[in-house]
Each structure stands twice: as C-alpha cells, then as structure tokens.
Amino acid sequence: MSLLPPGAHGGDAHRLAHLLGRDPKEILDLSASLNPVAPDCTKVLVSALDDLDHYPDDTTATRALAETMGVDPGRLVLTNGGAEAIALVAQRQPTGWAEECEFGLYRRHLRTLDRNAPRWRSDPHNPTGRLLDPGDDAAVRDEAFYLLATGTWTRGDEGVTVVGSLTKAWSLPGLRIGYVLAADADEADAVRRLRPRWSVNGLVCAALPRLLASADPIRWRDGIAALRGELVLVLQDHGIEPEHSDVNYLWVPHAPGLRERLLGDGILLRDGASFGRPDAVRIAVPDADGLDRLAQALDRARPPI
C-alpha cells in the first residue's frame, strides 16, 4: 500500500477507494476530523434545494451565524470553507509566523514568514488537539475545532482575527462553510471585498440558518469526549500511545508505519509529515461502529514480534 503516498491534507478516501477497487463510502477516513455524533442533515439539505434557482445572497445566513455566535454581524464574513478564510486573511496580513507543527495552510498562504511578525495559531491546536491556555496570544486564531472541543462558538478575544470552518461540526466537508470573524467592521469589509463574487454557494446560504437551528454543541462536545476516551483505550490496547487531546482527534507522535498497515483494511489516518513530524499520525475520533472496525484492523495489523 505504499502506492498511496499521503496528500498535503487529509481526506484521501477517493484515492484509496480507487486503489482498492472499493466504494469510497466503504473507506473509514480517519484522516479527516469530523463530528462523529453529527445529526443526519439530509432533510435540511433537500429542503434547501428550492433556493438554487437564483444567485446566492449570504445576508440571512451571515446574520443567523452572528446571532448564534453572539457577535456583531458586521464583523462576520462567510467564506467557501475554512481554506478560503485563511487565504483571504493572509492577503490582508501577508507577513506572519506559524510554527512548523501547525496546520500547513498558514505557511502556504503567508507571503513572508517572520518570527517577529504576528502569529497564527490553531485553537485547539492542530494536530495535537490541545486547547490553548487563556494567556496564549495570537493575531490570527483558527477556531475550526473550537466548537467541538468546548461546546461554545468562539473564544471571543478582543482585537483578534478568527478564522473557522463549520462543516466539520455537521460532518459535511463537501458543503464548504467557513468564516472570518474580523477584529472590527472595517477589516471585515476589506476581507469581503477580496472574496470572489458568489463564493458562498446558494445551498450554504439556504441551509446554514436551518443547520444552526439543529446545532447541539454541548451534546456534541460530551459525545466526542466519550468516544475519544474509548479511542484512547483501543489504541493503548494495541501499544499505541496518543497524547492528551481536547477535541475530535488524537495525535500519536511516534507511530512509524501505522498508516500504511491500515490502508489495506480501507482505513485512512492523517500522516504527520505535513506537520513536520513524519513518524507521527493524527487519528480522527470515529463513531462506535468505526471504533469497532479500527480495533479489528489493529488486531490484524499488529507488527510481528
């Protein structure tokens, strides 16, 4: 299975399915950290299809998200996923600093890396999953997983630019819902002018207010914590020691060859090379069925004694 080198990010289920001759739905993709207790959103998305006969207008969706987050809607800009949010903010703040063991898009989009420049940080940290201490500062904070770690929508620091991704919360990465919460309304307007016209599609504009009405952050946080505890036990039972995490993925700093050993079972882990740690893996917390499948695959994949 060395024929499937890891991509720059997770989510290589289609590539693995093609290699194995299987349906992509049969792949247990633990390289993409989604909400394992997300509700079924099929009815919400189907009900939003009637809104696709005109060009999208994100005004209502922006107001709904701002009200849910408890922020000024003038500071909020919806984007085509968290990746676009990062790219737009990097255009406004092209010189910055991100540590090597951070989400790779920061360094990819920053024009100049300078240790003395404003710092970009993920909270909780990606890939280790640990929440930042209250005193840890950043000029740009990525809160893509903050909701799932804490049950609250944003940390709410003054004067900080926040980028985020909502589709992880509903386990719908293909829907592409991201946002920028700017430090003030003027900065939000500047980001909005950089955003391509209609980059937020009509399905998102129609569905987001309805998705927000179904959100249950506390239940999500607690359900993830319970499953995460079970995942820790499964891994430790197989001699794999993850670090402490506050969110829906675990970081294993030393697991050489583990990703490759699981590929034949149709299970994907996130390779650590893109975080500067080639011997590490990041493992998303699966649902109960995924835990059972992972445990069985790990039994088969035990290295020879």
Side-chain angles (χ1 to χ4, degrees):
M1 297 309 298
S2 60
L3 294 177
L4 186 74
H9 300 289
D12 294 324
H14 281 82
R15 292 173 58 214
L16 180 58
H18 177 75
L19 185 62
L20 296 176
R22 298 171 66 173
D23 188 317
K25 294 184 182 299
E26 298 176 10
I27 302 301
L28 179 59
D29 189 356
L30 303 183
S31 71
S33 298
L34 307 175
N35 182 358
V37 295
D40 183 352
C41 299
T42 303
K43 291 182 178 179
V44 170
L45 297 177
V46 169
S47 71
L49 294 177
D50 290 339
D51 291 77
L52 300 185
D53 59 353
H54 54 262
Y55 282 98
D57 182 339
D58 67 355
T59 304
T60 299
T62 301
R63 288 174 179 166
L65 179 58
E67 181 177 356
T68 300
M69 294 179 68
V71 300
D72 176 3
R75 295 174 52 206
L76 194 63
V77 183
L78 290 183
T79 62
N80 183 23
E84 184 179 65
I86 291 167
L88 292 173
V89 172
Q91 289 183 62
R92 290 289 302 160
Q93 304 181 41
T95 299
W97 179 253
E99 298 293 342
E100 185 177 7
C101 193
E102 267 281 11
F103 185 45
L105 283 185
Y106 312 150
R107 284 176 163 249
R108 186 177 305 176
H109 285 290
L110 285 167
R111 188 181 307 157
T112 304
L113 289 168
D114 181 345
R115 287 185 177 273
N116 298 313
R119 190 170 183 185
W120 292 55
R121 303 187 76 176
S122 48
D123 187 15
H125 181 245
N126 186 5
T128 65
R130 291 190 294 271
L131 285 161
L132 297 183
D133 292 332
D136 289 340
D137 61 345
V140 180
R141 178 173 287 111
D142 185 347
E143 293 184 346
F145 296 100
Y146 192 82
L147 175 68
L148 299 179
T150 67
T152 55
W153 291 89
T154 183
R155 188 163 122 162
D157 290 7
E158 294 290 334
V160 173
T161 298
V162 173
V163 295
S165 170
L166 297 177
T167 37
K168 297 172 178 63
W170 284 278
S171 195
L172 295 168
L175 193 57
R176 312 308 302 147
I177 311 175
Y179 65 87
V180 176
L181 179 60
D184 54 49
D186 288 341
E187 181 60 23
D189 285 340
V191 171
R192 202 173 286 112
R193 287 192 295 271
L194 287 173
R195 184 184 62 175
R197 184 70 166 162
W198 301 307
S199 71
V200 181
N201 67 72
L203 186 58
V204 167
C205 294
L208 182 55
R210 305 171 208 187
L211 290 173
L212 291 168
S214 73
D216 194 347
I218 300 300
R219 185 184 69 82
W220 293 347
R221 178 199 65 191
D222 294 346
I224 288 168
L227 289 168
R228 184 175 65 238
E230 294 183 41
L231 176 58
V232 169
L233 293 177
V234 166
L235 295 175
Q236 290 177 335
D237 214 30
H238 293 82
I240 301 167
E241 288 295 332
E243 294 187 352
H244 167 78
S245 171
D246 296 304
V247 74
N248 59 322
Y249 51 83
L250 294 173
W251 179 245
V252 183
H254 186 69
L258 179 60
R259 175 184 178 274
E260 289 71 23
R261 293 201 301 273
L262 294 176
L263 289 176
D265 279 287
I267 297 177
L268 267 173
L269 307 183
R270 177 70 185 272
D271 176 79
S274 65
F275 300 105
R277 303 291 189 273
D279 286 345
V281 292
R282 194 191 69 188
I283 307 175
V285 175
D287 61 14
D289 290 341
L291 279 168
D292 289 342
R293 181 174 168 184
L294 176 62
Q296 294 170 20
L298 287 171
D299 284 340
R300 291 188 291 272
R302 287 184 187 272
I305 298 175

